[in-house]
Amino acid sequence: MSAPVGVSAPVFGRPAVPAFPSMALSAEAAPFSPGESDCSPLDSLSDAEKQFSRCAAKLRALRSDCSQLREELNQLFDQLLSENYNRSCELPTTIRPEDVCILLKHTSGLVPLNQEHLVVKFCQLVHHLLNQLKVIMDEQTLDVLVNYTVNALKQCSTWTHSDILLALSTVVYGNGSQCHQLVGDLLREDGIILEYSSPSQPNIELRHVALTCMANICLRIPGQPLLDDQYRSVCFRLFLKTLQSPKPPNTDDLFFCMVIQAALKGLQFCLSGGKWKFGGGEELGSVLAALKRLMFQGAPGLSVDWPEVIYPAPLSQYESLSPPRPTEPPKTLESPKEADKTGKPSGVRGALVLTDFSTYKRFFRIYCKVFTLFSFKKKKRKSKGKGKKTKHEESKVDDREEEDKEAAPEVCGGGGDISRNDVESLAKPPTSFLYPFWKLNSSESEFSDIEGNAQSKLRVYQCRVRQLALHCMLAVVKAVEKRTLYGYWSSFIPDSPAGGPPSLTLLTIILKDPSPKVRLCALQVLSAILDGSRQFLAAAEDTASPRTSYTPFSFMLAAAIRELHRGLSLALLAETSSQTLTQVIKCLAFLVANAPYHRLRPGLLSQLWKQIRPYVRHRDVTVRGSVLRLYGATVTAQAPLPEVQLLLQQPESLGGGSISGSVTPQDSALSWRHRNGAASPARTPAAVSQQSSGTHSPQLPHTPREEEKSSPWLLKLCVSLVTQPREDQSDSEGAGGGAALEPSPVRLEALQVLSHLVRGYFSLVQSSLHEIGQVSVRCLEETDPSIQLHSAKLLEEFGAGIIQQYRAENSVPESSKVPVNQVVEFWLEVLSGPLNAALQNVKHPTLQASACDTLASILPQAFALLPDKTQLMCITVLLGLTYIENYLVKTAAVRALGVYILFPCLREANILIIIFFSQDVMFVADTANIILAALDDRSTNVRAKAAWSLGNLTDTLIINMQNVGVDFQEQLSDMLLLKMLQAATRASADRDKVKCNAVRALGNLLHFLRHSQMTRPVFQRPLEDAVRALVKTVQSEAAMKVRWNACYALGNAFRNSSLPLETAPWSRDAFSALCHVVTSCKNFKVRIKSAAALAVPAQRSCYGDTKRFSCVWRSLATALENSEDAVDFLEYRYSASLRHTLSGALLHLLSLGTLQDMPELSASLAGEEGRGIREHLIKYLKAEEGEGKTGGDDETEEERNSGEESGQLQQRLGRLQETLDRLKSLKVEEEGGEKEKDVVVHFLEDLLKICEEF
């Protein structure tokens, strides 16, 4: 059994081991940093391997009784430590991990613990070999080295513990859960690691290495179990205590940064193991407060009273900026040298203290212009004789930029508004204005070379602290429940634009931090916070002006959304790193996907729409892909959104500026679609608009033109990106390559945007029916399965949009629908093309499944007009795919068959007869067994779709029975019906997603059965099992949708007059279950379905004896009385429909009542209960309450059947008159019965009289 060890440990501690024989024992000894090993020029790796083999052989030959053991070990250790075995160098090493393990195990037995210098060198060797060779140790080696280092800690002097702990941290990296005894000894209250890692430890080096070791113990390698919660809690508290403790006096800043980095990494490892398990709100608030403070580590001039705990609150709180400085006379911007003297930052991302929102905006406009001028001059100098940088070179530049830039964000606080002279001075800054002051040469800086290097190194360490703090914050966001995190939003996301010093939030880091990697981490944290926040942000609203007395919570949320838009838009303009720019756009996509724009004032999306358009042709592929993803989020946000609809309909010149005439503000945004390959300076949109008025801008060859208004420009752009070759290669890809298409990620995103457009704005894209069909067919012909998959999904979305237009409930005018003949032509083109190949592509089952969904999205009216051979081809292919073993394909094929079953042309035409009722017995059996076999599939999804298809099939049986009659019932095989009944009964005991449609099928089958079938012995037991399955489902604690479907199914079964309700033993249980749920179920829709089912039997005999009839009456009357007592407020919207259904059921029982029922009915109607019933019946007869509506938008057709038998007022009054006449005609045979009948008659007469007055 092997266990991963220190193969990729995080960077902690000291510089790497020196490559010379003598090993100095100092604070600068090697850290555990396998991810960043030195690659300094050394001997060739072959020499290193020879050295390792020679030394290893000598070590294995040594014995503990050797007379020169100490000298030999010392010499061999020095030789092994002097070599570089790093596998990240150019030539890989061939040293086997098992050889290293054998060497270390053997050597550990040669080094006695009383020889402390040898112990130190051996520990350095352990770290050196495991770190550089990325060795995965076996379990035996792990135990040997762990026991050796632990014993060394107990017996050796304190001066050796630093190296011992470093070796131990390498050994236990990711293996903490496998070292139970070690963890228990080291992490107990008096354990050595807790002692050394305590904030009270005076030796900062020991403290750092101990924290590193503890962090590596907490690390979990994928596939390994978590460390026990008790030990994780101990480490968590110590890491948090370390982050909260101040820097000890007389401690070097660099060493303290290393301690903080180790604690942050350890805290991240603790939080990365799953959900939050470290206490309540107090602990979470403490962690967030510490992390927020460290996010701004190293910010110059920052004077903030950081809180120890952040409490959840809707308002920004606790962080109080230092008192404002005395106002000074206006003066021009100070030079970098002066800025250094005063301690103020002088770089672009740290130049001014801004407190006013308008000034903030003006500053960024001026900054963009200044940056444009400077980059233009810089590019002119570079363009002479120099080629373009490759991606690899650019990444190196970004890394050097991060290491060199000052790790300090610009902090908004302290001063007042900037003066006019300050703003004017920005227009003509000195040459050094765009350089942070630590980049100035020695003649411009007051630091000496040594001091400058120290300051630069400190900034790098502080930058890493901020980066690790944000990584840790990301782990917190993922570990804590979203609902819990909502209370802390105001501490990390601004909720007000101006008015006083702005708070320090994630946007401050995104806009001000000089390191692109830190900004990237902040954007990742913000994206994680926004992801899944739709439910929280749904309360935002600012369409109306707020009251002056207080600010509503909804308005505060809306202000936060607007601040996020503003801040991210500024970051979009200012960002220069392509990788960070991509994350900015992705963060905007998360914001757009979760914000409720239909509740906000229009304009946010319009501004973003205009700002993002130039980035579609950014030279970086990932940026282009993220822009398309943002467009996809925009067209899916509460679609169809009027603001987006207007943007799509606008001409190109008005929809955010011409794509061809506007460019991005970044230097890296040079258009790769320009016909001429000449380099042009980066320009802001404002500068471009000024220039475009007098000069000609090159046009994009394949983008929509202004005069073409038939289709949205975004659709044409996406079609262009998918199908048209680009005129020029991307800058990052170099020249040449011919007429190549866009890279696959961009084309995939463009296809997804097309799908989103079709789904949300079908009325705008339906004119491009032929064009979308051509794009899909062309993409299906390609070899890339991802392109094929997305094109199939585009076809599915387009087909679903057409079907949605033709639904009766949508009431779309005929003139606005896509003509059926065009739909037929569309599908003929698709079905005659490569879709068949996709259906038969067994190598890519996901593509096959998507192709099945595409077949299921054909308009039924269009399917009827397809040639017979095409119809048969579709059905035959789907039938064949149901035998595929892959559950995705089988699920999609079964679902598609379930859709086809409902097609009227297949229900009525000869094709249905061919499929289901052919004389070919084998073909009938194969067809019938497809759905039944799928119900026994091991995949839950397949069973769910099979149950849904079975429900559709039985719906078809009922429709045909009503249209054709008994002849149709007799054509269907009894054995096939029996198999369907038994399969549906078994499925009703499955999971809820299967059960909800299985009970629907049971209701249809019980309705369909004939009297001759019910009397057969082979049907009697399955019939009883089916009804009892429905009763059990009604009484169960299943999902409410399952229960109301079961109630509806019982009502459907009651419609079968051949069902022996009066004599069957299961009849009593069925009525009892319905009576129970109609009075006690907390879900009103279940009550509605049960009340409707109780009102279905058309004969009095179906209700059984007087006792059962009375039970039904009392249950309905009680339910009507309590129809407004909703446990959940959301159920109250269904109360009107419930009263409507209950009133109709009571009148139905009155119409069937006999003289034996009069005592119970008269007792109920004569008292207080009767007056309440009268009021509800009057409202029902006057049609004042819901006409069978349940008030929901998500209900299927079978959920909207309560009260459908009720007609208009005259029809109801007519039925009431008939009931009254029938009761009057009843002859009383016993004394006292006349009085009880008169009570009921007088009740109905009064009711009829009141209603007739209206």
Side-chain angles (χ1 to χ4, degrees):
M1 178 178 179
S2 63
V5 292
V7 295
S8 59
V11 180
F12 288 121
R14 301 158 291 175
V17 177
F20 43 83
S22 60
M23 300 299 298
L25 303 176
S26 66
E28 284 75 23
F32 177 43
S33 56
E36 294 186 7
S37 301
D38 293 336
C39 271
S40 57
L42 295 170
D43 294 337
S44 65
L45 286 177
S46 59
D47 293 338
E49 293 167 9
K50 292 178 182 178
Q51 179 81 314
F52 176 84
S53 299
R54 183 169 54 252
C55 295
K58 290 183 179 180
L59 281 172
R60 286 194 298 268
L62 289 176
R63 295 295 178 263
S64 57
D65 56 353
C66 179
S67 59
Q68 301 293 327
L69 178 63
R70 180 175 179 179
E71 290 75 9
E72 290 288 340
L73 287 175
N74 191 63
Q75 182 180 3
L76 291 173
F77 285 167
D78 287 346
Q79 291 175 2
L80 287 172
L81 287 169
S82 65
E83 297 295 341
N84 187 348
Y85 310 101
N86 196 330
R87 285 184 174 178
S88 64
C89 294
E90 185 176 355
L91 297 176
T93 181
T94 58
I95 300 175
R96 298 186 304 171
E98 51 267 30
D99 293 338
V100 178
C101 293
I102 293 173
L103 173 66
L104 294 178
K105 283 189 296 183
H106 179 73
T107 308
S108 64
L110 299 177
V111 181
L113 297 180
N114 57 0
Q115 299 290 333
E116 294 185 345
H117 284 275
L118 289 179
V119 171
V120 168
K121 286 195 175 184
F122 173 69
C123 290
Q124 291 176 350
L125 180 65
V126 169
H127 166 71
H128 189 62
L129 293 179
L130 295 181
N131 182 25
Q132 292 197 358
L133 293 175
K134 312 294 187 290
V135 175
I136 299 178
M137 295 182 297
D138 57 79
E139 189 173 356
Q140 184 181 5
T141 306
L142 175 64
D143 293 338
V144 170
L145 294 181
V146 164
N147 291 328
Y148 183 89
T149 51
V150 171
N151 291 330
L153 285 174
K154 295 177 181 179
Q155 300 182 27
C156 295
S157 303
T158 305
W159 72 271
T160 65
H161 286 184
S162 176
D163 293 280
I164 297 173
L165 283 173
L166 183 62
L168 179 61
S169 67
T170 310
V171 172
V172 300
Y173 181 76
N175 293 311
S177 59
Q178 301 184 24
C179 306
H180 301 285
Q181 186 64 36
L182 162 76
V183 173
D185 292 341
L186 297 181
L187 296 183
R188 63 174 186 261
E189 292 185 2
D190 58 343
I192 192 167
I193 288 188
L194 288 184
E195 177 186 352
Y196 285 159
S197 58
S198 172
S200 59
Q201 172 59 236
N203 190 327
I204 197 69
E205 180 185 1
L206 275 177
R207 183 181 173 189
H208 165 250
V209 180
L211 286 169
T212 301
C213 185
M214 187 181 297
N216 291 345
I217 291 174
C218 295
L219 175 65
R220 171 180 175 265
I221 299 295
Q224 296 290 339
L226 287 171
L227 186 67
D228 291 344
D229 290 343
Q230 57 174 338
Y231 299 128
R232 287 175 59 204
S233 299
V234 171
C235 297
F236 169 83
R237 289 193 295 270
L238 186 59
F239 291 140
L240 179 58
K241 188 176 180 181
T242 301
L243 298 179
Q244 293 174 332
S245 61
K247 186 184 75 170
N250 302 324
T251 301
D252 185 73
D253 289 337
L254 290 178
F255 275 106
F256 187 68
C257 282
M258 293 161 59
V259 169
I260 296 299
Q261 290 176 27
L264 284 171
K265 206 67 177 177
L267 188 62
Q268 180 185 354
F269 292 159
C270 287
L271 296 172
S272 299
K275 296 298 182 182
W276 177 271
K277 296 181 180 179
F278 304 107
E282 188 77 17
E283 287 78 5
L284 177 59
S286 300
V287 171
L288 293 177
L291 293 180
K292 184 172 182 179
R293 173 174 56 83
L294 294 173
M295 290 176 193
F296 297 92
Q297 178 80 8
L302 181 63
S303 178
V304 177
D305 297 329
W306 297 103
E308 294 184 359
V309 181
I310 295 179
Y311 295 98
L315 299 175
S316 302
Q317 43 109 42
Y318 300 125
E319 57 196 32
S320 56
L321 293 173
S322 57
R325 301 174 182 174
T327 57
E328 299 178 359
K331 57 183 179 181
T332 58
L333 186 70
E334 51 192 357
S335 64
K337 186 174 181 179
E338 294 171 346
D340 294 342
K341 293 179 180 179
T342 58
K344 296 180 182 179
S346 60
V348 174
R349 292 185 179 270
L352 294 174
V353 178
L354 305 177
T355 58
D356 182 72
F357 178 53
S358 59
T359 305
Y360 193 80
K361 294 172 66 177
R362 291 198 304 271
F363 167 74
F364 261 87
R365 292 195 193 101
I366 298 171
Y367 157 69
C368 292
K369 294 181 180 180
V370 171
F371 184 80
T372 299
L373 294 173
F374 176 77
S375 60
F376 176 70
K377 295 179 181 179
K378 186 177 179 181
K379 189 175 292 185
K380 286 185 67 177
R381 292 195 301 267
K382 286 185 175 181
S383 62
K384 297 180 180 180
K386 291 198 174 184
K388 297 171 183 176
K389 296 178 182 178
T390 63
K391 275 187 175 180
H392 181 66
E393 291 171 343
E394 288 180 353
S395 63
K396 288 184 177 181
V397 171
D398 287 342
D399 291 338
R400 287 196 301 269
E401 177 187 356
E402 187 216 349
E403 299 297 326
D404 293 338
K405 282 189 176 181
E406 180 181 13
E410 174 185 346
V411 180
C412 300
D417 295 342
I418 60 175
S419 65
R420 181 173 181 178
N421 292 333
D422 291 333
V423 177
E424 291 175 351
S425 65
L426 283 174
K428 297 179 180 180
T431 306
S432 60
F433 171 75
L434 295 177
Y435 287 97
F437 68 89
W438 63 89
K439 283 192 174 183
L440 302 179
N441 56 36
S442 58
S443 62
E444 294 175 301
S445 174
E446 293 189 351
F447 290 114
S448 64
D449 291 340
I450 298 178
E451 291 173 338
N453 291 334
Q455 289 293 322
S456 178
K457 190 173 183 180
L458 177 60
R459 294 187 192 98
V460 170
Y461 275 62
Q462 290 173 340
C463 175
R464 290 177 180 173
V465 168
R466 298 200 303 277
Q467 190 174 348
L468 286 173
L470 288 166
H471 283 161
C472 198
M473 181 66 189
L474 183 61
V476 172
V477 173
K478 293 180 178 179
V480 179
E481 291 186 4
K482 289 286 184 182
R483 184 176 301 179
T484 304
L485 203 62
Y486 290 153
Y488 300 93
W489 268 47
S490 59
S491 297
F492 298 93
I493 296 176
D495 54 12
S496 58
S503 57
L504 302 177
T505 62
L506 289 171
L507 282 183
T508 310
I509 302 174
I510 294 169
L511 291 172
K512 306 298 180 182
D513 199 290
S515 169
K517 290 188 177 180
V518 175
R519 300 196 298 272
L520 178 65
C521 292
L523 287 164
Q524 290 174 340
V525 174
L526 183 56
S527 299
I529 292 176
L530 292 174
D531 187 19
S533 62
R534 183 178 304 173
Q535 184 178 4
F536 175 64
L537 294 178
E541 185 175 12
D542 67 349
T543 53
S545 300
R547 299 183 179 181
T548 56
S549 57
Y550 69 96
T551 302
F553 178 69
S554 60
F555 190 82
M556 291 176 56
L557 278 181
I561 294 174
R562 293 189 176 276
E563 274 299 285
L564 286 171
H565 264 277
R566 183 191 66 83
L568 293 175
S569 296
L570 291 175
L572 193 66
L573 290 173
E575 191 54 63
T576 57
S577 168
S578 295
Q579 187 179 9
T580 311
L581 178 63
T582 301
Q583 193 61 43
V584 172
I585 301 173
K586 289 181 179 179
C587 190
L588 281 167
F590 279 112
L591 175 60
V592 171
N594 291 278
Y597 293 99
H598 62 291
R599 296 169 58 92
L600 304 176
R601 295 193 309 271
L604 287 177
L605 290 177
S606 300
Q607 183 178 2
L608 180 62
W609 190 278
K610 296 175 182 178
Q611 189 177 4
I612 203 67
R613 284 189 67 173
Y615 293 87
V616 176
R617 54 184 182 75
H618 195 281
R619 70 174 183 177
D620 191 273
V621 174
T622 57
V623 174
R624 300 202 298 272
S626 61
V627 169
L628 291 172
R629 184 177 302 178
L630 176 55
Y631 275 129
T634 305
V635 296
T636 54
Q638 299 92 46
L641 203 63
E643 183 179 358
V644 176
Q645 196 162 1
L646 290 175
L647 290 171
L648 289 171
Q649 290 176 319
Q650 285 180 352
E652 183 182 347
S653 58
L654 299 177
S658 173
I659 296 181
S660 58
S662 58
V663 296
T664 58
Q666 286 75 16
D667 182 28
S668 61
L670 179 62
S671 173
W672 51 267
R673 280 187 175 269
H674 283 174
R675 291 185 182 272
N676 52 353
S680 60
R683 295 166 292 178
T684 63
V688 172
S689 62
Q690 295 174 3
Q691 180 180 353
S692 61
S693 60
T695 60
H696 173 71
S697 299
Q699 297 293 322
L700 293 179
H702 303 297
T703 51
R705 295 171 297 182
E706 180 178 349
E707 61 271 12
E708 295 177 346
K709 301 180 180 179
S710 58
S711 300
W713 67 267
L714 184 57
L715 183 143
K716 295 185 177 182
L717 173 65
C718 291
V719 170
S720 169
L721 293 173
V722 171
T723 61
Q724 299 294 338
R726 59 183 188 268
E727 293 291 329
D728 194 8
Q729 290 279 356
S730 171
D731 290 351
S732 59
E733 297 167 354
L741 293 173
E742 280 281 355
S744 181
V746 176
R747 300 180 69 209
L748 291 176
E749 291 292 346
L751 284 171
Q752 286 187 345
V753 174
L754 285 175
S755 298
H756 297 325
L757 266 177
V758 170
R759 184 188 305 127
Y761 300 89
F762 184 81
S763 60
L764 298 181
V765 303
Q766 66 181 43
S767 60
S768 304
L769 177 69
H770 180 67
E771 188 175 12
I772 290 178
Q774 287 184 330
V775 171
S776 302
V777 168
R778 173 172 176 174
C779 291
L780 282 172
E781 292 175 346
E782 297 189 17
T783 58
D784 187 350
S786 299
I787 298 293
Q788 293 177 311
L789 176 64
H790 282 77
S791 61
K793 290 185 178 296
L794 174 59
L795 285 175
E796 179 190 353
E797 290 292 346
F798 205 90
I802 297 175
I803 293 175
Q804 195 70 21
Q805 274 194 338
Y806 278 83
R807 291 190 185 277
E809 59 267 21
N810 289 335
S811 302
V812 178
E814 288 295 330
S815 59
S816 300
K817 296 179 181 178
V818 180
V820 176
N821 60 336
Q822 293 186 16
V823 180
V824 173
E825 294 176 2
F826 173 81
W827 285 114
L828 281 175
E829 180 182 4
V830 172
L831 294 175
S832 62
L835 186 61
N836 291 333
L839 286 166
Q840 301 172 20
N841 192 340
V842 294
K843 295 182 179 180
H844 301 286
T846 306
L847 177 60
Q848 284 183 292
S850 182
C852 291
D853 294 335
T854 302
L855 286 182
S857 63
I858 300 177
L859 182 70
Q861 295 89 324
F863 189 89
L865 299 177
L866 292 175
D868 290 347
K869 63 177 183 180
T870 305
Q871 297 183 24
L872 286 173
M873 181 272 295
C874 295
I875 297 171
T876 305
V877 170
L878 291 176
L879 290 175
L881 290 176
T882 57
Y883 293 98
I884 299 295
E885 290 298 325
N886 187 277
Y887 79 96
L888 290 175
V889 181
K890 185 180 292 187
T891 301
V894 171
R895 175 190 172 274
L897 284 176
V899 172
Y900 279 16
I901 288 169
L902 297 177
F903 281 7
C905 62
L906 298 182
R907 208 170 54 225
E908 301 166 359
N910 292 332
I911 292 180
L912 185 64
I913 299 176
I914 293 174
I915 294 177
F916 289 104
F917 312 117
S918 172
Q919 298 302 318
D920 188 344
V921 178
M922 293 301 296
F923 190 75
V924 171
D926 289 343
T927 305
N929 285 331
I930 286 175
I931 296 176
L932 302 181
L935 282 173
D936 295 327
D937 195 270
R938 61 184 178 182
S939 170
T940 304
N941 290 333
V942 173
R943 298 197 304 273
K945 294 301 181 183
W948 180 80
S949 298
L950 182 62
N952 287 359
L953 173 60
T954 55
D955 286 343
T956 302
L957 298 181
I958 298 299
I959 295 173
N960 285 333
M961 180 188 69
Q962 295 171 349
N963 295 338
V964 180
V966 179
D967 294 339
F968 176 80
Q969 289 179 280
E970 293 176 351
Q971 289 179 356
L972 197 60
S973 167
D974 289 354
M975 296 310 298
L976 180 59
L977 268 178
L978 181 61
K979 290 174 65 177
M980 294 168 65
L981 186 65
Q982 292 173 335
T985 303
R986 291 193 302 269
S988 65
D990 207 329
R991 297 185 180 182
D992 285 351
K993 62 193 304 185
V994 180
K995 189 184 301 183
C996 63
N997 285 296
V999 296
R1000 178 166 67 98
L1002 278 178
N1004 287 330
L1005 291 171
L1006 292 173
H1007 185 188
F1008 186 81
L1009 290 176
R1010 306 191 311 274
H1011 178 73
S1012 61
Q1013 294 168 329
M1014 295 182 189
T1015 56
R1016 293 180 58 183
V1018 70
F1019 272 92
Q1020 290 180 357
R1021 182 59 183 271
L1023 174 63
E1024 181 178 354
D1025 292 343
V1027 176
R1028 293 196 181 280
L1030 292 178
V1031 172
K1032 183 179 179 180
T1033 306
V1034 170
Q1035 296 174 333
S1036 68
E1037 296 297 328
M1040 292 304 171
K1041 182 177 182 180
V1042 176
R1043 297 182 68 184
W1044 77 56
N1045 274 3
C1047 292
Y1048 177 80
L1050 279 177
N1052 198 7
F1054 290 169
R1055 289 185 172 88
N1056 191 339
S1057 58
S1058 301
L1059 207 63
L1061 291 178
E1062 63 276 6
T1063 59
W1066 43 259
S1067 176
R1068 177 181 177 183
D1069 295 336
F1071 280 104
S1072 176
L1074 292 174
C1075 290
H1076 176 72
V1077 297
V1078 80
T1079 56
S1080 61
C1081 185
K1082 63 181 181 180
N1083 187 280
F1084 276 17
K1085 288 196 284 188
V1086 176
R1087 293 194 193 186
I1088 291 169
K1089 299 303 179 185
S1090 59
L1094 289 172
V1096 166
Q1099 302 295 329
R1100 169 61 184 82
S1101 59
C1102 296
Y1103 288 95
D1105 56 14
T1106 303
K1107 182 178 181 182
R1108 187 188 301 174
F1109 184 86
S1110 301
C1111 178
V1112 174
W1113 173 270
R1114 287 195 303 271
S1115 299
L1116 293 173
T1118 303
L1120 184 61
E1121 182 181 359
N1122 301 329
S1123 59
E1124 294 185 359
D1125 299 339
V1127 178
D1128 188 354
F1129 180 75
L1130 295 177
E1131 299 296 326
Y1132 187 77
R1133 55 181 171 167
Y1134 304 112
S1135 59
S1137 179
L1138 175 61
R1139 289 191 293 270
H1140 177 92
T1141 307
L1142 291 169
S1143 300
L1146 289 174
L1147 286 177
H1148 177 72
L1149 291 181
L1150 285 173
S1151 67
L1152 300 178
T1154 62
L1155 288 176
Q1156 290 76 16
D1157 303 322
M1158 290 302 114
E1160 178 66 29
L1161 295 179
S1162 61
S1164 175
L1165 297 175
E1168 184 69 25
E1169 185 182 27
R1171 285 190 287 273
I1173 293 175
R1174 178 186 290 108
E1175 293 178 1
H1176 290 298
L1177 292 182
I1178 291 173
K1179 294 180 180 179
Y1180 168 79
L1181 293 171
K1182 292 164 56 180
E1184 290 185 358
E1185 291 188 331
E1187 192 75 25
K1189 297 178 183 179
T1190 54
D1193 298 331
D1194 58 342
E1195 299 160 358
T1196 57
E1197 184 176 355
E1198 66 267 20
E1199 299 170 354
R1200 295 192 294 265
N1201 289 306
S1202 56
E1204 284 185 356
E1205 295 83 0
S1206 301
Q1208 299 300 323
L1209 176 60
Q1210 295 299 326
Q1211 296 175 338
R1212 293 172 180 172
L1213 292 179
R1215 287 197 295 270
L1216 181 60
Q1217 184 65 54
E1218 293 176 1
T1219 300
L1220 181 60
D1221 294 341
R1222 190 188 66 82
L1223 290 178
K1224 288 181 178 181
S1225 64
L1226 294 177
K1227 295 182 179 180
V1228 180
E1229 297 178 358
E1230 299 180 1
E1231 295 183 1
E1234 188 70 31
K1235 181 179 180 181
E1236 295 168 344
K1237 187 189 79 170
D1238 291 343
V1239 172
V1240 178
V1241 169
H1242 291 157
F1243 177 86
L1244 293 178
E1245 288 177 343
D1246 293 343
L1247 187 64
L1248 186 61
K1249 181 179 178 181
I1250 294 173
C1251 292
E1252 285 178 347
E1253 295 178 357
F1254 295 94

